[in-house]
Amino acid sequence: MISKSKADGVIIAIANQKGGVGKTTTAVNLGTSLASRGKRVLVVDADPQGNATTAFGFEKDELTHTLYHALIGKVTPREVIRGTEVEGLHLIPSNIHLIGAEVELMDDPSREQRLREVLKEVKDGYDFILIDCPPSLGLLTLNALVASESVIIPLQCEFYAMEGLTQLLRTIRLVKERYNPPLKVEGILLTMYDGRNNLSRQILKQVREHFGSKVFETVIPRNVRLSEAPSFGKPVLLYDRNCTGSRSYLELAQEIVERRHG
């Protein structure tokens, strides 16, 4: 299933301990946008809610092999990878069983390294691996940060946007010091932006002033088609390629590729 030709194998966690900020939307649609540019992409659903799995059209409760089974060593990483409707994009799916991994790995001395070990076996087949993290700073998110080269932080353009960001940045710094020295912030991604809304514009200005070049130029708007697509089991590019949500994620993919290759 996976090409063995040389790839960059860039692993990026998409993390924010707040829920509802656009992590899964970004993992699914950035992954699809990168694949549409000819990149080989693996999306890793590291959230027990399994929303990324559902967004690609899988019945998560019917899956026999998921990320959980790979983390506890029951199956090989290659056995859990699934193809998607998107050419060049694969998925490691998850469901509620993933909650069990946090309990079962608790006494494992290398528990924070397990996802890194899983991805090491398949990394050479992909240009980008995107990890959709759960809305917490628990063991699963720690595993994602230890396994990754960088982090995309989705930040919604709402009143409490900055709340919790300091804690997340502190966690990233601790992971960098203790487990993963190369870890860096890939960028802060502003989501759910409404240009007609004064608060959205204020937050955009505030975040750009505070974080400068760490903030992506691309901003993800509030978009009905973007919100509807998961209920049809499709990334927004397959649901409505011409909507503003699709165009924004295509722009984000281009920005990330250009940042990395100049």
Side-chain angles (χ1 to χ4, degrees):
M1 178 188 288
I2 303 165
S3 163
K4 277 290 189 178
S5 60
K6 285 187 179 178
D8 294 332
V10 176
I11 304 177
I12 303 175
I14 299 172
N16 189 326
Q17 72 270 33
K18 290 191 72 172
V21 299
K23 288 187 295 293
T24 300
T25 300
T26 297
V28 169
N29 294 300
L30 174 58
T32 302
S33 298
L34 287 166
S36 78
R37 296 177 59 91
K39 303 297 183 184
R40 288 160 294 179
V41 180
L42 176 65
V43 173
V44 180
D45 189 348
D47 185 349
Q49 295 176 90
N51 290 337
T53 300
T54 302
F56 282 112
F58 291 95
E59 291 290 339
K60 60 189 176 187
D61 297 330
E62 294 176 9
L63 296 167
T64 51
H65 292 156
T66 64
L67 177 61
Y68 163 74
H69 299 94
L71 286 174
I72 65 169
K74 195 171 182 180
V75 296
T76 68
R78 292 179 192 278
E79 287 180 86
V80 299
I81 292 175
R82 306 291 292 265
T84 71
E85 276 188 82
V86 182
E87 185 178 350
L89 189 150
H90 296 134
L91 172 73
I92 293 183
S94 285
N95 56 26
I96 198 68
H97 290 144
L98 189 56
I99 289 174
E102 292 202 303
V103 178
E104 291 182 47
L105 296 176
M106 198 56 68
D107 296 327
D108 185 333
S110 62
R111 57 188 174 272
E112 70 282 337
Q113 309 277 349
R114 293 304 289 269
L115 184 56
R116 176 189 270 174
E117 295 303 315
V118 166
L119 296 181
K120 189 185 291 183
E121 292 191 34
V122 299
K123 182 181 177 183
D124 60 356
Y126 297 99
D127 299 299
F128 288 93
I129 297 176
L130 305 179
I131 307 172
D132 183 24
C133 296
S136 72
L137 292 177
L139 184 58
L140 291 169
T141 297
L142 176 59
N143 263 264
L145 295 176
V146 171
S148 297
E149 176 184 310
S150 63
V151 190
I152 290 174
I153 304 172
L155 201 67
Q156 83 281 32
C157 291
E158 293 177 359
F159 186 69
Y160 293 110
M162 304 287 278
E163 193 177 85
L165 185 57
T166 305
Q167 186 183 357
L168 176 59
L169 292 171
R170 188 183 302 119
T171 300
I172 291 169
R173 190 166 62 249
L174 287 171
V175 171
K176 182 181 174 73
E177 289 170 3
R178 295 180 187 177
Y179 304 110
N180 186 8
L183 184 65
K184 64 180 183 180
V185 174
E186 183 82 18
I188 295 169
L189 177 66
L190 289 156
T191 63
M192 304 176 196
Y193 179 75
D194 183 351
R196 301 164 301 177
N197 182 308
N198 189 44
L199 180 61
S200 273
R201 295 197 304 272
Q202 284 179 355
I203 288 167
L204 178 69
K205 182 172 181 285
Q206 180 185 2
V207 173
R208 287 204 190 284
E209 285 175 354
H210 197 271
F211 293 102
S213 62
K214 283 290 181 197
V215 185
F216 288 110
E217 287 297 320
T218 304
V219 174
I220 308 300
R222 283 197 178 277
N223 178 242
V224 173
R225 306 298 271 176
L226 196 55
S227 303
E228 288 175 349
S231 64
F232 291 88
K234 291 179 182 295
V236 73
L237 262 76
L238 297 188
Y239 181 60
D240 183 351
R241 190 178 179 88
N242 297 314
C243 72
T244 57
S246 291
R247 291 199 301 271
S248 296
Y249 276 107
L250 287 166
E251 287 170 15
L252 178 63
Q254 182 176 344
E255 184 175 351
I256 288 171
V257 170
E258 286 178 355
R259 276 187 177 198
R260 288 186 161 271
H261 299 292

